Amino acid sequence: MFTSPLPIFVSGLVARGFGRGSKDLGIPTANYSAEVVKNLPHNLEPGVYYGWAQIENGEVHKMVMSVGWNPFYKNTMKTMEIHILHQFENEFYGSLMKVCVLKYLRPEMNFPSVDELISAIKSDVAIATKELDKPEFIKFREHEFFQI
């Protein structure tokens, strides 16, 4: 049974990840440090979520996020990887990133191939893109969390 406390608001500096999002998948992610991940609510279930993200005091963009151990890559450490649905011109490691996590999309899964993982992520992005246009979610784009 799904019991994660949503919405949640997370803020921290963008840390270097494993480099797989851009290189292996063509789907870049912005990652939080292990310290930020450790401070997530204990009942935030591993899986894929969607919501809003902001880098520094820039524009607020749609995002899809994976929280967990990424079974395909057999991570030993829990991660929080955010794919912001926007093409950035430059890297932003060390920048302040704020995310508003609104909705659980699916559990984390293992996949038989990289192609199937990529296909699942693209499906997640398509669902999130459509869902975040709904009034109950779009209002969070203007939330005071992103204004301070």
Side-chain angles (χ1 to χ4, degrees):
M1 182 166 143
F2 182 78
T3 60
S4 291
L6 298 176
I8 63 167
F9 299 90
V10 182
S11 182
L13 300 182
V14 176
R16 290 200 179 270
F18 298 105
R20 299 183 294 230
S22 294
K23 290 183 211 159
D24 291 0
L25 307 175
I27 302 167
T29 60
N31 304 291
Y32 279 122
S33 69
E35 189 65 30
V36 172
V37 175
K38 186 170 48 171
N39 288 315
L40 289 172
H42 295 290
N43 58 342
L44 184 71
E45 297 184 22
V48 178
Y49 294 80
Y50 58 83
W52 298 99
Q54 178 186 49
I55 302 299
E56 293 296 338
N57 291 318
E59 190 176 337
V60 179
H61 300 284
K62 295 175 181 179
M63 68 84 177
V64 174
M65 175 186 81
S66 169
V67 175
W69 290 268
N70 298 322
F72 183 79
Y73 289 105
K74 298 174 179 55
N75 287 4
T76 58
M77 191 169 85
K78 187 176 184 180
T79 61
M80 185 177 183
E81 302 176 58
I82 293 90
H83 174 56
I84 301 174
L85 307 184
H86 177 76
Q87 183 78 28
F88 290 91
E89 290 186 30
N90 300 307
E91 292 182 344
F92 46 85
Y93 294 112
S95 296
L96 178 66
M97 177 170 60
K98 295 179 181 180
V99 299
C100 171
V101 183
L102 293 172
K103 186 81 175 186
Y104 179 82
L105 190 55
R106 64 171 174 83
E108 64 178 349
M109 304 177 203
N110 200 352
F111 295 90
S113 70
V114 171
D115 288 340
E116 289 182 59
L117 172 58
I118 291 169
S119 178
I121 295 169
K122 287 182 177 179
S123 175
D124 298 337
V125 167
I127 292 167
T129 298
K130 183 178 177 182
E131 289 293 307
L132 286 166
D133 284 337
K134 292 181 176 179
E136 66 264 34
F137 299 125
I138 203 162
K139 67 183 181 184
F140 284 93
R141 186 177 190 188
E142 304 298 325
H143 194 277
E144 66 184 37
F145 173 72
F146 295 117
Q147 311 306 316
I148 51 175

